[in-house]
Amino acid sequence: MKAFVTVAREGNVTRAAEQLHLTQPAVTLQLKRLAADTGITLFRRTSTGLELTHEGALLAAKAEQVLAALVDFGQTAGHLATRVRGKLRIGTIIDPEFTRLGAFLKALIESGPGIETTLRHGMSGDVPEGLRRNELDAGFFLGDPNDFEPVSELCGEGAAKLFHGRELARLTYRVVAPPSLASFVRDADWTQLAALPWIGTPPASVHNRLLTRLFMDLGLRQNFVAQVDQEASMVAMVRTGVGLSLCRESIALHEQQAHGLIVADAVTIGTTLSFLCLEASRDNPTIAAAFDAIRRVWG
């Protein structure tokens, strides 16, 4: 069948024999055997070589399909024989579109069809804690993983790190406010913003970690009037006029256009989105497969 398809493509026995690494008589013999087995005249001779008959062309198309199926069968068999098997507990955060969660899981299934995944959604600060307590195997994280490294492990040159991570994207966060506070927010610095009413978040959220460090460095305290644990709820409370909130720049600009929220134009905070695991587990086959899937999705 390979000889038949190759000759059909080349229209020449000599060239087909070279591709198949066979002698010309061997290829000719295989064609004769196939013609005898099928009872079909496969080729007619022309001045330039061989040309498929009508029946031969129909049979060649089917032969192409059969050979492709055989190749696929062999690849699938080899993949199943060597595939990674195991369970993978993944910490997810914010919205799945932003973390490209669907594309990541698809790539993970393709590279490790034997991996059973469990997703646990929460705040980004829950991910390193979940890794430390062996409740998660890997997960998405916003912020600096060093904030969760034990102090003793950060001391001294060459000290071992607890976490291994791959940076996926740089993010900018902006302060949004209701229209009623527009005159207080525009052109305001962090000192002026601290005194205004704020919607706070739990310590595990990236908003809390970013703002707590910033205001502590400035020797300031935020004026919290409410606390929520989801970005969507924070923005909803800003719309109703409760107070200020920190949110991703893309969301802040959308809210400005769609709902008339005010974006503080003099201040921003930068952070990173990463994918983490424990340093000691990075060579685990299932975790390595997850990082390979992350690489293929995020580049």
Side-chain angles (χ1 to χ4, degrees):
M1 194 176 294
K2 283 183 180 179
F4 172 48
V5 167
T6 306
V7 173
R9 289 173 181 169
E10 295 296 326
N12 184 283
V13 173
T14 302
R15 289 197 299 269
E18 291 174 354
Q19 284 196 22
L20 295 168
H21 304 291
L22 297 172
T23 64
Q24 184 175 337
V27 173
T28 301
L29 179 61
Q30 290 189 34
L31 293 180
K32 288 181 178 179
R33 286 178 177 172
L34 182 61
D37 289 342
T38 59
I40 294 173
T41 301
L42 303 173
F43 296 96
R44 66 172 66 91
R45 291 192 176 276
T46 67
S47 59
T48 57
L50 294 177
E51 182 181 83
L52 284 166
T53 63
H54 177 70
E55 293 81 3
L58 294 176
L59 199 62
K62 182 61 68 175
E64 292 268 16
Q65 296 175 11
V66 172
L67 290 175
L70 284 171
V71 170
D72 183 62
F73 177 84
Q75 290 176 343
T76 301
H79 190 61
L80 291 173
T82 59
R83 72 180 183 176
V84 177
R85 293 177 173 83
K87 296 183 178 181
L88 193 65
R89 301 163 298 175
I90 304 169
T92 63
I93 59 174
I94 51 180
D95 51 279
E97 291 80 10
F98 181 76
T99 57
R100 306 180 190 178
L101 184 60
F104 162 65
L105 292 175
K106 181 176 182 292
L108 182 59
I109 290 171
E110 290 173 350
S111 63
I115 297 176
E116 178 186 336
T117 59
T118 300
L119 305 182
R120 299 185 180 180
H121 192 78
M123 288 177 283
S124 61
D126 296 330
V127 171
E129 290 300 327
L131 293 173
R132 293 180 65 163
R133 294 194 295 265
N134 193 30
E135 297 171 353
L136 294 173
D137 300 304
F140 295 91
F141 176 74
L142 283 167
D144 186 353
N146 287 331
D147 293 342
F148 292 82
E149 292 279 0
V151 175
S152 60
E153 295 187 19
L154 291 175
C155 296
E157 288 190 18
K161 292 274 189 167
L162 182 60
F163 301 108
H164 166 69
R166 180 185 179 92
E167 184 177 310
L168 307 180
R170 294 286 303 175
L171 286 79
T172 298
Y173 276 74
R174 305 288 293 272
V175 176
V176 291
S180 59
L181 295 176
S183 60
F184 298 98
V185 172
R186 289 197 178 98
D187 301 320
D189 60 19
W190 288 114
T191 300
Q192 295 166 316
L193 293 174
L196 297 176
W198 280 85
I199 300 164
T201 58
S205 75
V206 68
H207 309 77
N208 184 298
R209 286 180 277 117
L210 291 173
L211 290 173
T212 296
R213 173 174 292 179
L214 185 147
F215 285 121
M216 283 183 62
D217 291 343
L218 294 173
L220 301 170
R221 293 185 62 183
Q222 284 177 272
N223 176 24
F224 292 116
V225 295
Q227 185 179 95
V228 295
D229 60 359
Q230 292 186 6
E231 196 166 48
S233 301
M234 294 162 57
V235 173
M237 293 185 75
V238 176
R239 290 181 199 156
T240 60
V242 174
L244 280 60
S245 177
L246 195 68
C247 67
R248 281 174 280 154
E249 185 172 53
S250 58
I251 295 176
L253 297 178
H254 170 76
E255 290 295 324
Q256 183 181 48
Q257 293 293 323
H259 301 286
L261 296 190
I262 307 303
V263 178
D265 48 14
V267 295
T268 61
I269 305 180
T271 190
T272 60
L273 173 68
S274 303
F275 191 72
L276 299 183
C277 72
L278 291 178
E279 177 66 35
S281 303
R282 62 184 295 183
D283 294 327
N284 178 289
T286 57
I287 295 175
F291 272 86
D292 180 63
I294 282 289
R295 177 189 57 78
R296 286 191 281 141
V297 170
W298 284 91

